[in-house]
Amino acid sequence: MNVLKVLRACFAVACLCLISGAGCADEYRTVVDSRGVQVQVPAEINRVVTISDGLVEGVMTVLGVEDTLVGIGSGCVSKVYEYTYPTVKGEDYRYEKGMDPVTYLNPQFVDLPLVSMSGALNYETLASLDPDVIIARAGDCTLRIDDEASMNKTIDTIESLGLTLVVIRSPNTFDEPDLSTISDEIRIMGQVFGKEDEAVELANYLEEEVEFVRARTKDIQDEEKPEVLVLGLASKAREAGGVGYGHGLNSIESYLVEDVVNARNAYQEPCLWNIMSPEHVLESDPDVIILNTFSGYHPPRELYEAPYYQNLQEMDAIKNKRVAALRWSPCNCDMRLEYPIDIMVIAKAAYPERFEDVDLGEWLLDFYMNVYNVDRETAVELRSAQWMDWVLEEGN
């Protein structure tokens, strides 16, 4: 179906509603999205296109409406990854079958039409899918907040085609990141699909996991707080003479460290991230190093074993084996349903004594089972798909 046909179809529906009167009210419901815009969505939704890096698809999976997905706007949702790094012993350490949890749970997503490549939306493909509704997440990699003009143009263009668009906003699109906005995103999606109760239950569970950490660390005084460096290892940083990208005070990672876990960000720069030189990293000498997804996956072992990081081996965090890695999160532009995992990893690394009773390997399984309503065997596979099996190697 071309764009002209889509517009004609929308006009026909509008005329039908005018002729039949109140009957159309039963066929649509009003959803107020993150922009504050009232959007009329069909009461029965059969065709959905998403522009998201995993959160929207994850919520749809939990709500049981994943089969309505007919097109996706991120290649990261439909891709299986590998990652390799060299060791000082001359060997290569290889990670395979890494993917977003929704990709593992919904292998059919791999074959869905892709409406966006490298951040550029294909409007002809989008219109041809004849979606009942498009759900776009502002702040993810296709609608990046660091290019707000382009993001707004994309939204305006979609709506100019007469397509039904619901926009949700990720934490990074706000002046001050706040994880509660993820709960708002989930609730809006619950309204879209008429599954408000299930959405509230999911949001409440995620918030409870966050509060569990907050409750254990809220009384820690400033002088007791460890220095935590969130470091994005990347070959581009090394090519520029650096070690990696330090996440500054304006990042969501810093919010997790300081506002949720109640530790101190070792990189006190007012930025999202900047390249840190070896001298800068050594000078900061953090108590804990957290490695996140940044131009690939980076396990703790890479910082210990890769030849290009041997000049950092005298750092206390490395000597004391206080290096942890966050879950594999391809297209890591903002938080997704699994954000409590990141919080627990940081909390346990920062305050091992306070979280001594938390077996991270088992906690992860419980988390996957509770969020996605899967059995233990599937939870084990999800843990592996997010390359979190390092917690077993480290004895956490």
Side-chain angles (χ1 to χ4, degrees):
M1 180 179 287
N2 58 31
V3 172
L4 180 59
K5 288 183 179 180
V6 171
L7 293 173
R8 286 174 176 169
C10 293
F11 179 73
V13 170
C15 291
L16 179 61
C17 287
L18 288 173
I19 295 171
S20 60
C24 278
D26 297 331
E27 298 174 11
Y28 291 84
R29 54 176 163 263
T30 301
V31 174
V32 179
D33 69 9
S34 293
R35 301 169 294 173
V37 174
Q38 293 187 355
V39 183
Q40 299 292 316
V41 301
E44 183 178 343
I45 296 175
N46 297 306
R47 300 182 64 81
V48 179
V49 174
T50 59
I51 303 173
S52 162
D53 295 326
L55 179 126
V56 174
E57 297 81 2
V59 175
M60 289 179 64
T61 300
V62 175
L63 298 182
V65 295
E66 68 277 9
D67 289 341
T68 64
L69 197 58
V70 296
I72 54 178
S74 172
C76 296
V77 177
S78 59
K79 189 175 178 181
V80 179
Y81 293 82
E82 297 180 352
Y83 182 73
T84 303
Y85 72 87
T87 71
V88 290
K89 297 180 180 179
E91 304 168 344
D92 284 340
Y93 205 92
R94 189 177 186 85
Y95 287 79
E96 299 178 314
K97 298 181 179 179
M99 65 191 86
D100 192 287
V102 297
T103 311
Y104 178 83
L105 295 172
N106 304 287
Q108 72 274 14
F109 285 3
V110 174
D111 300 318
L112 289 176
L114 193 61
V115 301
S116 174
M117 288 293 290
S118 302
L121 202 62
N122 187 320
Y123 297 104
E124 184 175 354
T125 300
L126 180 63
S128 72
L129 292 172
D130 191 20
D132 296 322
V133 64
I134 301 163
I135 305 175
R137 191 185 195 212
D140 272 359
C141 292
T142 301
L143 295 177
R144 295 175 67 98
I145 189 58
D146 57 2
D147 190 357
E148 190 169 359
S150 177
M151 179 180 73
N152 291 333
K153 182 180 179 181
T154 299
I155 291 172
D156 291 343
T157 303
I158 293 173
E159 292 185 321
S160 73
L161 298 176
L163 301 173
T164 300
L165 174 66
V166 173
V167 177
I168 57 177
R169 293 178 59 187
S170 71
N172 273 337
T173 63
F174 295 87
D175 292 337
E176 296 184 4
D178 187 339
L179 293 175
S180 67
T181 60
I182 295 181
S183 295
D184 294 336
E185 295 181 81
I186 294 170
R187 294 185 185 102
I188 289 171
M189 291 188 59
Q191 294 167 13
V192 169
F193 294 102
K195 292 182 176 286
E196 292 90 341
D197 291 344
E198 294 92 330
V200 169
E201 182 179 357
L202 171 61
N204 287 346
Y205 172 74
L206 299 178
E207 290 177 359
E208 288 168 2
E209 292 303 307
V210 175
E211 289 308 311
F212 172 77
V213 171
R214 283 189 191 272
R216 289 202 175 186
T217 61
K218 64 181 180 181
D219 62 337
I220 295 173
Q221 302 303 306
D222 286 347
E223 61 273 14
E224 301 175 274
K225 295 178 181 179
E227 300 259 341
V228 178
L229 176 63
V230 182
L231 191 61
L233 304 181
S235 57
K236 287 184 178 179
R238 296 198 303 275
E239 291 167 2
V243 172
Y245 293 84
H247 291 264
L249 298 176
N250 296 342
S251 67
I252 187 68
E253 289 80 7
S254 182
Y255 172 82
L256 299 186
V257 170
E258 297 207 332
D259 292 67
V260 180
V261 176
N262 198 23
R264 186 174 188 273
N265 185 355
Y267 191 53
Q268 290 282 304
E269 295 296 324
C271 64
L272 287 174
W273 58 72
N274 275 328
I275 292 178
M276 296 183 70
S277 67
E279 294 77 19
H280 194 174
V281 173
L282 287 166
E283 183 181 351
S284 68
D285 197 21
D287 301 297
V288 178
I289 297 175
I290 303 293
L291 306 177
N292 68 332
T293 297
F294 210 108
S295 297
Y297 173 69
H298 306 283
R301 295 182 61 157
E302 183 175 5
L303 202 54
Y304 301 145
E305 301 176 342
Y308 38 79
Y309 294 131
Q310 291 307 296
N311 58 339
L312 304 176
Q313 297 306 302
E314 292 305 309
M315 294 177 62
D316 286 342
I318 294 179
K319 287 193 297 184
N320 297 329
K321 300 294 184 182
R322 295 188 69 182
V323 179
L326 304 184
R327 64 204 155 81
W328 168 235
S329 183
C331 290
N332 188 27
C333 288
D334 215 327
M335 297 285 115
R336 300 174 202 165
L337 286 184
E338 297 79 25
Y339 72 86
I341 294 177
D342 296 348
I343 292 170
M344 182 57 76
V345 169
I346 296 171
K348 191 165 173 61
Y351 299 111
E353 298 85 4
R354 293 201 175 215
F355 293 90
E356 188 176 6
D357 60 320
V358 177
D359 182 315
L360 195 49
E362 289 297 317
W363 182 92
L364 283 163
L365 299 185
D366 288 339
F367 179 84
Y368 292 126
M369 288 188 286
N370 288 326
V371 170
Y372 290 109
N373 193 29
V374 297
D375 58 24
R376 182 181 175 84
E377 182 179 355
T378 303
V380 169
E381 293 298 322
L382 289 175
R383 186 177 64 191
S384 296
Q386 289 208 291
W387 284 332
M388 285 298 294
D389 287 341
W390 69 265
V391 302
L392 308 179
E393 301 171 5
E394 298 294 325
N396 288 285

